[in-house]
Amino acid sequence: MWSIYNQLIAGIPETAKVQDIRRTSRWTLVASEWAIGSAMSFQKENGQSEKFVGTSLKKLASLILSDDLSEASLGLAAINSFYNQEKKIYNTFSEYSLFKEDALKQIHNMKQQKVGMVGHFPYIDRFPELRKFTTVFELAPRLGDLPAERAEDLLPKMETVFITASTLVNKTLPHLLELAQGAQVILVGASCPLSPHLFSAGIEQIGGTYYPLSLTELVEKKTEKQLPLSKLGIPVLAVKDGV
């Protein structure tokens, strides 16, 4: 179970430091010397985030292993503040495997498939016709969604599966990958590390985000304009075969 997490943590330099940490109502944001990393928050923060500013980025990243989901969100955001830096992304993946686009746009070309979606992405609400061939599994189901536990019997029947990268925080990703091992798996969202380590876990595509703004600018724009975090970053889709 822990190999995905250990590989992501191991790749972070020992000398890297945490420069800043911010929280919004839904997101945890960590700034390193290279980039801003984001991760969805599952619990209210415990008010201890500021103590990590100036400390080891790798040590903060290791909190992804914590059972405390507030700490785990900090860990994933720290991981993303290393991997989701523009220069590193373009140096890691070949030009043939990297696309500046929202990974979810592919779903429009999958109408002849059985598509599963773990996590309710707002994208699907904009295109009601996608519901005809997409099954959404959600911890807090909305109208038309199925409870997350239904993935146990239905996910193995899917041909393509989109999984929210926030499943790294609550530790459900390894089991979901087992259930979906016969499908094309796409890990997506603002919580997604843009790291090829994920390909060795059976994931074929990773769709994440990097941010051209400073952390202060990012938080201010999100607060003032009430925009989804994805609208404030640059979407990137990396495909396995071209690394």
Side-chain angles (χ1 to χ4, degrees):
M1 170 179 175
W2 298 112
S3 61
I4 298 174
Y5 299 90
N6 291 332
Q7 286 181 332
L8 290 170
I9 296 166
I12 299 174
E14 297 282 353
T15 56
K17 301 294 183 183
V18 178
Q19 290 193 336
D20 200 359
I21 297 173
R22 305 284 182 89
R23 301 266 196 170
T24 70
S25 59
R26 290 188 62 205
W27 294 98
T28 298
L29 304 164
V30 171
S32 68
E33 61 191 271
W34 301 288
I36 297 167
S38 56
M40 182 174 286
S41 300
F42 281 77
Q43 294 176 348
K44 289 184 178 180
E45 72 139 326
N46 54 21
Q48 300 298 311
S49 299
E50 65 276 4
K51 72 180 181 182
F52 295 107
V53 175
T55 64
S56 164
L57 185 69
K58 192 166 191 173
K59 181 178 179 181
L60 184 60
S62 68
L63 288 181
I64 185 66
L65 303 174
S66 175
D67 291 330
D68 181 318
L69 298 186
S70 180
E71 291 185 345
S73 293
L74 275 170
L76 182 55
I79 287 169
N80 290 339
S81 75
F82 173 68
Y83 289 103
N84 292 19
Q85 49 177 300
E86 182 178 10
K87 184 177 180 180
K88 182 173 181 59
I89 293 165
Y90 286 94
N91 285 339
T92 299
F93 301 96
S94 79
E95 61 180 309
Y96 306 106
S97 68
L98 203 59
F99 307 91
K100 268 190 178 180
E101 63 180 50
D102 186 335
L104 288 169
K105 287 185 177 180
Q106 302 175 78
I107 199 170
H108 296 280
N109 300 319
M110 298 177 178
K111 296 180 180 178
Q112 305 305 315
Q113 298 185 36
K114 292 181 179 179
V115 178
M117 183 177 286
V118 179
H120 186 114
F121 292 93
Y123 186 89
I124 201 169
D125 298 328
R126 290 159 46 195
F127 303 98
E129 69 275 12
L130 299 179
R131 285 290 197 165
K132 297 176 183 177
F133 59 93
T134 304
T135 303
V136 179
F137 305 94
E138 172 59 50
L139 286 170
R142 308 180 198 180
L143 183 65
D145 297 347
L146 293 180
E149 56 266 26
R150 291 298 309 279
E152 288 290 331
D153 58 298
L154 294 179
L155 212 58
K157 301 176 182 178
M158 300 297 164
E159 296 169 87
T160 296
V161 177
F162 292 87
I163 301 178
T164 172
S166 62
T167 53
L168 280 162
V169 175
N170 64 15
K171 315 301 187 297
T172 58
L173 180 60
H175 183 55
L176 290 167
L177 292 176
E178 290 178 359
L179 293 174
Q181 61 184 318
Q184 173 185 221
V185 176
I186 306 170
L187 191 69
V188 291
S191 298
C192 186
L194 289 161
S195 167
H197 293 310
L198 294 169
F199 292 145
S200 62
I203 298 165
E204 295 182 27
Q205 298 182 29
I206 51 177
T209 303
Y210 69 85
Y211 303 99
L213 303 171
S214 70
L215 185 52
T216 297
E217 291 172 328
L218 184 65
V219 173
E220 287 178 350
K221 285 183 178 292
K222 178 157 181 58
T223 302
E224 291 172 4
K225 298 185 178 181
Q226 296 296 307
L227 291 171
L229 197 60
S230 59
K231 298 294 183 183
L232 298 171
I234 307 297
V236 176
L237 172 65
V239 180
K240 181 178 181 179
D241 294 337
V243 175

